[in-house]
Amino acid sequence: MLPSYLLSLREGLEAALIIGIVLGALQKIRRTDLAPMLWYGTLAAVGVSIFTAILLTVFGLSLEGSAEQIYEGITMFIAAGLLTWMIFWMSQQARTLKTELEADVNKAAASRNGRALFWMAFIAVVREGVELAFFITAAFFAGSTENVGANTIQTLAGVVLGLSTSILLGWSLFATAVRLDLRRFFQVTGFILILFAGGLVAHGIHEFNEVGWIPNIIEHVWDVNAIVDEKSVLGELLKTLFGYNGNPSLTEMIGYFVYLAVVAVFFQRSNTKKIVTVAQPSA
């Protein structure tokens, strides 16, 4: 439940920020009459996102044997790639997001029927929603597939709680005096999600080890299942969060640590560069 909660909180807050900025821009130019088109676009995007998540999950559950392992492996890699891109994109675009959205709103408001605003809201929100659909699907398959019912309930509970929290935070940011340090929030959640993405990479390599697409080199580097069984409650939690495997292959561990090292370095440099740039006094 925790991975789906964190993912839903992060994606949901990004969507809430976008909606809040657009609503504020409409109020600024006195075109609140276009607000319904914003909500129509948002609801349409939510519907597409839910359909995508259901389709991806149901299709994956319908597969068996090597086809299931290949599908899960591909899903893990796609989700890890999207998650990495999302972390860096938000880190780079956070400063200019409001300005760019307000400019888009001004252009969309020039349309008499409001269709431009509908599509602007739809595209902005569906991007977050489809990304979340891939992440939730990956988190679902990273969890226990032996008890599908319990895994489904936990995943859905995490999604509902995460989105509810993001809506509450988004409303607080724009309707009250509450202020959230968004830069720190995205830094902390970004670091946690990097660990989660590393687990997805390792899990994807594990699935491809099973079908022979990636060699093991060494089948089991170690076996610590006697200490923390990957099928225990703690093991399942660590597996879902960080891709824990009690007896990983050598390529699985290489992929995991190489990903973490490379992405963590670039993430730290990105945040350091941004802090330095903001701190420099203007001439």
Side-chain angles (χ1 to χ4, degrees):
M1 186 176 78
L2 185 56
S4 59
Y5 173 79
L6 290 173
L7 290 164
S8 300
L9 174 60
R10 169 91 182 209
E11 290 292 302
L13 183 57
E14 289 184 17
L17 289 174
I18 291 172
I19 294 171
I21 291 172
V22 173
L23 285 173
L26 289 175
Q27 290 179 350
K28 186 182 297 184
I29 62 176
R30 300 180 185 278
R31 291 300 309 273
T32 53
D33 57 296
L34 293 176
M37 299 306 294
L38 166 67
W39 294 115
Y40 295 153
T42 300
L43 290 175
V46 170
V48 171
S49 303
I50 293 174
F51 176 77
T52 302
I54 293 174
L55 182 64
L56 289 171
T57 305
V58 171
F59 179 72
L61 291 174
S62 68
L63 300 175
E64 296 180 357
S66 60
E68 179 183 3
Q69 294 168 336
I70 292 171
Y71 176 79
E72 289 186 21
I74 292 174
T75 302
M76 298 296 169
F77 285 135
I78 291 176
L82 287 173
L83 191 54
T84 306
W85 174 85
M86 177 199 74
I87 292 169
F88 283 98
W89 181 87
M90 196 61 191
S91 176
Q92 295 297 323
Q93 300 297 320
R95 289 175 295 168
T96 60
L97 182 63
K98 182 178 180 180
T99 302
E100 292 176 356
L101 279 174
E102 288 179 343
D104 291 339
V105 169
N106 290 330
K107 293 179 182 179
S111 173
R112 294 182 179 180
N113 54 24
R115 289 181 181 177
L117 186 64
F118 171 91
W119 287 112
M120 190 194 79
F122 176 81
I123 293 172
V125 176
V126 81
R127 182 188 63 223
E128 309 293 338
V130 171
E131 286 176 0
L132 181 58
F134 270 98
F135 303 154
I136 296 304
T137 302
F140 175 82
F141 285 114
S144 175
T145 56
E146 295 179 359
N147 193 341
V148 176
N151 194 15
T152 301
I153 292 173
Q154 291 179 2
T155 301
L156 290 177
V159 171
V160 172
L161 288 174
L163 292 178
S164 300
T165 305
S166 67
I167 292 171
L168 179 61
L169 287 174
W171 176 82
S172 299
L173 286 171
F174 292 98
T176 70
V178 175
R179 291 294 178 265
L180 175 68
D181 187 347
L182 292 177
R183 183 179 65 83
R184 181 61 60 186
F185 172 82
F186 285 119
Q187 280 182 345
V188 173
T189 57
F191 178 75
I192 295 173
L193 293 181
I194 285 173
L195 295 177
F196 176 69
L200 293 179
V201 171
H203 196 111
I205 293 174
H206 174 76
E207 295 299 329
F208 283 176
N209 285 158
E210 293 292 322
V211 297
W213 283 19
I214 295 178
N216 291 310
I217 302 181
I218 298 177
E219 186 174 2
H220 300 303
V221 179
W222 57 67
D223 191 340
V224 295
N225 279 310
I227 302 174
V228 179
D229 192 338
E230 61 190 52
K231 294 184 178 181
S232 65
V233 175
L234 177 59
E236 287 287 353
L237 177 62
L238 293 175
K239 178 181 177 181
T240 306
L241 275 175
F242 308 120
Y244 171 76
N245 186 351
N247 52 353
S249 69
L250 179 58
T251 49
E252 190 176 339
M253 296 311 302
I254 290 174
Y256 180 74
F257 286 113
V258 167
Y259 172 87
L260 288 184
V262 172
V263 174
V265 168
F266 280 102
F267 183 69
Q268 182 62 34
R269 286 182 179 179
S270 175
N271 283 299
T272 302
K273 184 183 297 184
K274 184 170 64 175
I275 293 171
V276 171
T277 302
V278 173
Q280 286 178 345
S282 57

Short mmCIF file of all heavy atoms in Angstrom, two decimals, residues 122-172:
data_model
loop_
_atom_site.label_atom_id
_atom_site.label_comp_id
_atom_site.label_asym_id
_atom_site.label_seq_id
_atom_site.Cartn_x
_atom_site.Cartn_y
_atom_site.Cartn_z
N PHE A 122 -7.07 18.49 -20.17
CA PHE A 122 -7.06 17.04 -20.41
C PHE A 122 -5.63 16.53 -20.60
O PHE A 122 -5.22 15.54 -19.97
CB PHE A 122 -7.89 16.72 -21.65
CG PHE A 122 -7.85 15.26 -22.04
CD1 PHE A 122 -8.67 14.34 -21.41
CD2 PHE A 122 -7.00 14.82 -23.03
CE1 PHE A 122 -8.64 13.00 -21.75
CE2 PHE A 122 -6.95 13.47 -23.40
CZ PHE A 122 -7.78 12.56 -22.75
N ILE A 123 -4.86 17.20 -21.44
CA ILE A 123 -3.49 16.75 -21.73
C ILE A 123 -2.62 16.86 -20.49
O ILE A 123 -1.81 15.95 -20.20
CB ILE A 123 -2.90 17.58 -22.89
CG1 ILE A 123 -3.65 17.26 -24.19
CG2 ILE A 123 -1.40 17.28 -23.06
CD1 ILE A 123 -3.27 18.15 -25.35
N ALA A 124 -2.76 17.96 -19.74
CA ALA A 124 -1.93 18.15 -18.55
C ALA A 124 -2.21 17.09 -17.49
O ALA A 124 -1.29 16.54 -16.88
CB ALA A 124 -2.17 19.54 -17.97
N VAL A 125 -3.49 16.76 -17.29
CA VAL A 125 -3.86 15.81 -16.24
C VAL A 125 -3.69 14.36 -16.71
O VAL A 125 -3.26 13.50 -15.93
CB VAL A 125 -5.31 16.06 -15.77
CG1 VAL A 125 -5.74 15.01 -14.74
CG2 VAL A 125 -5.44 17.45 -15.18
N VAL A 126 -3.98 14.08 -17.97
CA VAL A 126 -3.89 12.70 -18.45
C VAL A 126 -2.43 12.23 -18.46
O VAL A 126 -2.15 11.04 -18.30
CB VAL A 126 -4.53 12.54 -19.85
CG1 VAL A 126 -3.58 12.99 -20.97
CG2 VAL A 126 -4.95 11.09 -20.08
N ARG A 127 -1.51 13.17 -18.65
CA ARG A 127 -0.09 12.80 -18.58
C ARG A 127 0.25 12.25 -17.21
O ARG A 127 0.90 11.21 -17.08
CB ARG A 127 0.78 14.02 -18.89
CG ARG A 127 2.28 13.72 -18.89
CD ARG A 127 3.10 14.99 -19.01
NE ARG A 127 2.89 15.84 -17.85
CZ ARG A 127 2.72 17.15 -17.92
NH1 ARG A 127 2.71 17.76 -19.09
NH2 ARG A 127 2.54 17.86 -16.82
N GLU A 128 -0.20 12.96 -16.17
CA GLU A 128 0.04 12.49 -14.81
C GLU A 128 -0.70 11.17 -14.55
O GLU A 128 -0.18 10.27 -13.91
CB GLU A 128 -0.42 13.55 -13.79
CG GLU A 128 0.11 14.95 -14.03
CD GLU A 128 1.60 15.05 -13.83
OE1 GLU A 128 2.16 14.19 -13.13
OE2 GLU A 128 2.20 16.00 -14.36
N GLY A 129 -1.95 11.10 -15.06
CA GLY A 129 -2.77 9.92 -14.80
C GLY A 129 -2.25 8.66 -15.45
O GLY A 129 -2.24 7.59 -14.83
N VAL A 130 -1.83 8.75 -16.71
CA VAL A 130 -1.32 7.58 -17.41
C VAL A 130 0.01 7.13 -16.80
O VAL A 130 0.28 5.93 -16.67
CB VAL A 130 -1.16 7.88 -18.92
CG1 VAL A 130 -0.43 6.74 -19.61
CG2 VAL A 130 -2.54 8.08 -19.56
N GLU A 131 0.85 8.10 -16.42
CA GLU A 131 2.08 7.75 -15.71
C GLU A 131 1.74 6.99 -14.44
O GLU A 131 2.33 5.94 -14.15
CB GLU A 131 2.87 9.02 -15.36
CG GLU A 131 3.56 9.67 -16.54
CD GLU A 131 4.24 10.97 -16.15
OE1 GLU A 131 4.17 11.34 -14.96
OE2 GLU A 131 4.85 11.61 -17.03
N LEU A 132 0.77 7.50 -13.67
CA LEU A 132 0.38 6.84 -12.43
C LEU A 132 -0.17 5.44 -12.71
O LEU A 132 0.08 4.51 -11.94
CB LEU A 132 -0.67 7.68 -11.70
CG LEU A 132 -1.17 7.13 -10.36
CD1 LEU A 132 -0.01 6.94 -9.39
CD2 LEU A 132 -2.22 8.05 -9.75
N ALA A 133 -0.89 5.28 -13.82
CA ALA A 133 -1.43 3.97 -14.18
C ALA A 133 -0.30 2.96 -14.37
O ALA A 133 -0.38 1.81 -13.89
CB ALA A 133 -2.26 4.07 -15.45
N PHE A 134 0.77 3.37 -15.05
CA PHE A 134 1.92 2.47 -15.23
C PHE A 134 2.59 2.19 -13.90
O PHE A 134 2.98 1.04 -13.61
CB PHE A 134 2.93 3.11 -16.20
CG PHE A 134 2.69 2.75 -17.63
CD1 PHE A 134 2.01 3.61 -18.47
CD2 PHE A 134 3.14 1.54 -18.16
CE1 PHE A 134 1.78 3.29 -19.80
CE2 PHE A 134 2.93 1.21 -19.48
CZ PHE A 134 2.25 2.08 -20.32
N PHE A 135 2.74 3.22 -13.06
CA PHE A 135 3.41 3.02 -11.78
C PHE A 135 2.62 2.07 -10.88
O PHE A 135 3.19 1.19 -10.24
CB PHE A 135 3.57 4.37 -11.05
CG PHE A 135 4.33 5.40 -11.84
CD1 PHE A 135 4.11 6.75 -11.61
CD2 PHE A 135 5.24 5.03 -12.80
CE1 PHE A 135 4.80 7.70 -12.32
CE2 PHE A 135 5.94 5.98 -13.54
CZ PHE A 135 5.72 7.33 -13.29
N ILE A 136 1.29 2.27 -10.83
CA ILE A 136 0.46 1.43 -9.99
C ILE A 136 0.46 -0.01 -10.50
O ILE A 136 0.48 -0.96 -9.71
CB ILE A 136 -0.98 1.99 -9.92
CG1 ILE A 136 -0.98 3.37 -9.26
CG2 ILE A 136 -1.89 1.04 -9.17
CD1 ILE A 136 -0.36 3.39 -7.88
N THR A 137 0.42 -0.18 -11.81
CA THR A 137 0.49 -1.53 -12.38
C THR A 137 1.79 -2.21 -12.00
O THR A 137 1.81 -3.38 -11.59
CB THR A 137 0.36 -1.47 -13.91
OG1 THR A 137 -0.87 -0.84 -14.26
CG2 THR A 137 0.38 -2.88 -14.50
N ALA A 138 2.89 -1.47 -12.12
CA ALA A 138 4.20 -2.02 -11.74
C ALA A 138 4.25 -2.35 -10.26
O ALA A 138 4.76 -3.40 -9.85
CB ALA A 138 5.30 -1.05 -12.12
N ALA A 139 3.71 -1.45 -9.43
CA ALA A 139 3.69 -1.69 -7.98
C ALA A 139 2.84 -2.90 -7.65
O ALA A 139 3.17 -3.69 -6.75
CB ALA A 139 3.17 -0.46 -7.25
N PHE A 140 1.75 -3.08 -8.38
CA PHE A 140 0.86 -4.21 -8.15
C PHE A 140 1.59 -5.52 -8.45
O PHE A 140 1.56 -6.46 -7.65
CB PHE A 140 -0.37 -4.09 -9.04
CG PHE A 140 -1.30 -5.29 -8.98
CD1 PHE A 140 -2.22 -5.41 -7.96
CD2 PHE A 140 -1.23 -6.30 -9.93
CE1 PHE A 140 -3.06 -6.51 -7.89
CE2 PHE A 140 -2.07 -7.40 -9.87
CZ PHE A 140 -2.99 -7.51 -8.85
N PHE A 141 2.29 -5.60 -9.59
CA PHE A 141 2.99 -6.83 -9.95
C PHE A 141 4.25 -7.03 -9.14
O PHE A 141 4.74 -8.15 -9.02
CB PHE A 141 3.33 -6.82 -11.45
CG PHE A 141 2.14 -7.09 -12.33
CD1 PHE A 141 1.66 -6.11 -13.18
CD2 PHE A 141 1.48 -8.30 -12.29
CE1 PHE A 141 0.55 -6.35 -13.99
CE2 PHE A 141 0.37 -8.55 -13.08
CZ PHE A 141 -0.09 -7.57 -13.93
N ALA A 142 4.79 -5.93 -8.57
CA ALA A 142 5.96 -6.07 -7.70
C ALA A 142 5.57 -6.65 -6.35
O ALA A 142 6.42 -7.18 -5.63
CB ALA A 142 6.63 -4.71 -7.49
N GLY A 143 4.30 -6.54 -6.02
CA GLY A 143 3.81 -7.12 -4.77
C GLY A 143 3.50 -8.59 -4.93
O GLY A 143 3.90 -9.24 -5.89
N SER A 144 2.76 -9.12 -3.99
CA SER A 144 2.43 -10.54 -4.02
C SER A 144 1.38 -10.83 -5.09
O SER A 144 0.33 -10.21 -5.13
CB SER A 144 1.88 -10.98 -2.65
OG SER A 144 1.44 -12.31 -2.69
N THR A 145 1.71 -11.77 -5.98
CA THR A 145 0.75 -12.18 -7.01
C THR A 145 0.04 -13.47 -6.61
O THR A 145 -0.81 -13.97 -7.36
CB THR A 145 1.48 -12.40 -8.36
OG1 THR A 145 2.55 -13.35 -8.18
CG2 THR A 145 2.06 -11.09 -8.87
N GLU A 146 0.40 -13.99 -5.44
CA GLU A 146 -0.25 -15.21 -4.96
C GLU A 146 -1.62 -14.90 -4.36
O GLU A 146 -2.54 -15.70 -4.43
CB GLU A 146 0.65 -15.91 -3.94
CG GLU A 146 1.97 -16.41 -4.54
CD GLU A 146 2.84 -17.08 -3.49
OE1 GLU A 146 2.41 -17.13 -2.32
OE2 GLU A 146 3.93 -17.57 -3.85
N ASN A 147 -1.74 -13.74 -3.72
CA ASN A 147 -3.00 -13.31 -3.12
C ASN A 147 -3.44 -12.05 -3.84
O ASN A 147 -3.22 -10.94 -3.36
CB ASN A 147 -2.83 -13.07 -1.62
CG ASN A 147 -4.16 -12.93 -0.92
OD1 ASN A 147 -5.19 -12.66 -1.54
ND2 ASN A 147 -4.15 -13.09 0.40
N VAL A 148 -4.05 -12.24 -5.02
CA VAL A 148 -4.41 -11.11 -5.87
C VAL A 148 -5.42 -10.20 -5.19
O VAL A 148 -5.34 -8.98 -5.28
CB VAL A 148 -4.96 -11.62 -7.23
CG1 VAL A 148 -5.44 -10.44 -8.08
CG2 VAL A 148 -3.91 -12.41 -7.96
N GLY A 149 -6.39 -10.80 -4.48
CA GLY A 149 -7.44 -10.02 -3.84
C GLY A 149 -6.88 -9.05 -2.81
O GLY A 149 -7.19 -7.86 -2.83
N ALA A 150 -6.04 -9.55 -1.91
CA ALA A 150 -5.46 -8.70 -0.87
C ALA A 150 -4.54 -7.65 -1.48
O ALA A 150 -4.53 -6.49 -1.05
CB ALA A 150 -4.68 -9.55 0.14
N ASN A 151 -3.77 -8.06 -2.49
CA ASN A 151 -2.87 -7.12 -3.15
C ASN A 151 -3.65 -6.00 -3.84
O ASN A 151 -3.26 -4.83 -3.79
CB ASN A 151 -2.02 -7.86 -4.18
CG ASN A 151 -0.83 -7.03 -4.66
OD1 ASN A 151 -0.47 -6.03 -4.05
ND2 ASN A 151 -0.23 -7.45 -5.75
N THR A 152 -4.77 -6.35 -4.45
CA THR A 152 -5.62 -5.35 -5.11
C THR A 152 -6.19 -4.36 -4.11
O THR A 152 -6.18 -3.14 -4.35
CB THR A 152 -6.76 -6.04 -5.87
OG1 THR A 152 -6.22 -6.95 -6.84
CG2 THR A 152 -7.63 -5.01 -6.58
N ILE A 153 -6.68 -4.86 -2.99
CA ILE A 153 -7.26 -4.00 -1.96
C ILE A 153 -6.21 -3.04 -1.41
O ILE A 153 -6.46 -1.83 -1.25
CB ILE A 153 -7.87 -4.85 -0.83
CG1 ILE A 153 -9.10 -5.62 -1.34
CG2 ILE A 153 -8.25 -3.96 0.36
CD1 ILE A 153 -9.66 -6.60 -0.35
N GLN A 154 -5.02 -3.55 -1.13
CA GLN A 154 -3.95 -2.70 -0.59
C GLN A 154 -3.53 -1.64 -1.60
O GLN A 154 -3.31 -0.47 -1.24
CB GLN A 154 -2.74 -3.56 -0.21
CG GLN A 154 -3.00 -4.47 0.97
CD GLN A 154 -1.79 -5.34 1.31
OE1 GLN A 154 -0.76 -5.24 0.68
NE2 GLN A 154 -1.95 -6.20 2.30
N THR A 155 -3.42 -2.02 -2.88
CA THR A 155 -3.03 -1.07 -3.91
C THR A 155 -4.07 0.02 -4.07
O THR A 155 -3.75 1.22 -4.12
CB THR A 155 -2.83 -1.79 -5.25
OG1 THR A 155 -1.82 -2.81 -5.11
CG2 THR A 155 -2.39 -0.81 -6.34
N LEU A 156 -5.35 -0.38 -4.13
CA LEU A 156 -6.42 0.60 -4.27
C LEU A 156 -6.51 1.52 -3.06
O LEU A 156 -6.76 2.73 -3.19
CB LEU A 156 -7.75 -0.11 -4.50
CG LEU A 156 -7.93 -0.82 -5.84
CD1 LEU A 156 -9.27 -1.56 -5.89
CD2 LEU A 156 -7.83 0.18 -7.00
N ALA A 157 -6.31 0.96 -1.88
CA ALA A 157 -6.35 1.77 -0.66
C ALA A 157 -5.24 2.82 -0.68
O ALA A 157 -5.46 3.99 -0.31
CB ALA A 157 -6.20 0.88 0.58
N GLY A 158 -4.05 2.42 -1.13
CA GLY A 158 -2.95 3.36 -1.24
C GLY A 158 -3.24 4.47 -2.24
O GLY A 158 -2.92 5.65 -2.00
N VAL A 159 -3.87 4.11 -3.37
CA VAL A 159 -4.21 5.10 -4.40
C VAL A 159 -5.22 6.10 -3.86
O VAL A 159 -5.06 7.32 -4.03
CB VAL A 159 -4.76 4.40 -5.66
CG1 VAL A 159 -5.31 5.43 -6.64
CG2 VAL A 159 -3.67 3.58 -6.33
N VAL A 160 -6.26 5.58 -3.22
CA VAL A 160 -7.33 6.46 -2.69
C VAL A 160 -6.77 7.40 -1.63
O VAL A 160 -7.03 8.61 -1.64
CB VAL A 160 -8.48 5.62 -2.13
CG1 VAL A 160 -9.48 6.51 -1.40
CG2 VAL A 160 -9.19 4.85 -3.24
N LEU A 161 -5.97 6.86 -0.71
CA LEU A 161 -5.40 7.69 0.35
C LEU A 161 -4.42 8.72 -0.21
O LEU A 161 -4.40 9.88 0.20
CB LEU A 161 -4.68 6.80 1.38
CG LEU A 161 -5.58 5.95 2.29
CD1 LEU A 161 -4.74 5.03 3.15
CD2 LEU A 161 -6.45 6.85 3.17
N GLY A 162 -3.60 8.29 -1.18
CA GLY A 162 -2.63 9.20 -1.78
C GLY A 162 -3.29 10.33 -2.53
O GLY A 162 -2.91 11.50 -2.38
N LEU A 163 -4.30 10.01 -3.34
CA LEU A 163 -5.01 11.05 -4.09
C LEU A 163 -5.79 11.97 -3.16
O LEU A 163 -5.85 13.18 -3.38
CB LEU A 163 -5.94 10.41 -5.11
CG LEU A 163 -5.26 9.68 -6.28
CD1 LEU A 163 -6.31 9.05 -7.20
CD2 LEU A 163 -4.36 10.62 -7.07
N SER A 164 -6.37 11.39 -2.10
CA SER A 164 -7.11 12.22 -1.13
C SER A 164 -6.18 13.20 -0.44
O SER A 164 -6.52 14.38 -0.25
CB SER A 164 -7.80 11.33 -0.09
OG SER A 164 -8.72 10.45 -0.71
N THR A 165 -5.00 12.72 -0.06
CA THR A 165 -4.03 13.60 0.59
C THR A 165 -3.57 14.70 -0.37
O THR A 165 -3.42 15.87 0.03
CB THR A 165 -2.80 12.80 1.05
OG1 THR A 165 -3.23 11.73 1.90
CG2 THR A 165 -1.83 13.69 1.82
N SER A 166 -3.35 14.35 -1.64
CA SER A 166 -2.90 15.34 -2.61
C SER A 166 -3.97 16.40 -2.86
O SER A 166 -3.66 17.59 -3.02
CB SER A 166 -2.52 14.65 -3.93
OG SER A 166 -3.66 14.09 -4.57
N ILE A 167 -5.23 15.98 -2.88
CA ILE A 167 -6.33 16.94 -3.06
C ILE A 167 -6.40 17.89 -1.87
O ILE A 167 -6.57 19.11 -2.03
CB ILE A 167 -7.68 16.20 -3.23
CG1 ILE A 167 -7.70 15.45 -4.57
CG2 ILE A 167 -8.85 17.17 -3.16
CD1 ILE A 167 -8.89 14.53 -4.74
N LEU A 168 -6.24 17.34 -0.66
CA LEU A 168 -6.27 18.17 0.55
C LEU A 168 -5.12 19.17 0.55
O LEU A 168 -5.30 20.35 0.85
CB LEU A 168 -6.20 17.28 1.79
CG LEU A 168 -6.19 18.00 3.15
CD1 LEU A 168 -7.46 18.82 3.32
CD2 LEU A 168 -6.02 16.99 4.27
N LEU A 169 -3.92 18.70 0.19
CA LEU A 169 -2.76 19.59 0.14
C LEU A 169 -2.94 20.66 -0.93
O LEU A 169 -2.63 21.83 -0.72
CB LEU A 169 -1.48 18.78 -0.13
CG LEU A 169 -0.95 17.93 1.02
CD1 LEU A 169 0.23 17.09 0.56
CD2 LEU A 169 -0.53 18.82 2.20
N GLY A 170 -3.43 20.23 -2.11
CA GLY A 170 -3.65 21.19 -3.19
C GLY A 170 -4.65 22.25 -2.81
O GLY A 170 -4.44 23.44 -3.08
N TRP A 171 -5.74 21.84 -2.18
CA TRP A 171 -6.75 22.81 -1.73
C TRP A 171 -6.16 23.75 -0.68
O TRP A 171 -6.42 24.96 -0.71
CB TRP A 171 -7.95 22.06 -1.15
CG TRP A 171 -8.99 22.98 -0.58
CD1 TRP A 171 -9.97 23.64 -1.25
CD2 TRP A 171 -9.14 23.35 0.80
NE1 TRP A 171 -10.73 24.41 -0.39
CE2 TRP A 171 -10.23 24.24 0.87
CE3 TRP A 171 -8.45 23.02 1.97
CZ2 TRP A 171 -10.66 24.79 2.08
CZ3 TRP A 171 -8.87 23.57 3.17
CH2 TRP A 171 -9.96 24.45 3.21
N SER A 172 -5.37 23.22 0.24
CA SER A 172 -4.78 24.04 1.30
C SER A 172 -3.84 25.09 0.72
O SER A 172 -3.78 26.22 1.21
CB SER A 172 -4.02 23.15 2.29
OG SER A 172 -4.88 22.23 2.90
#
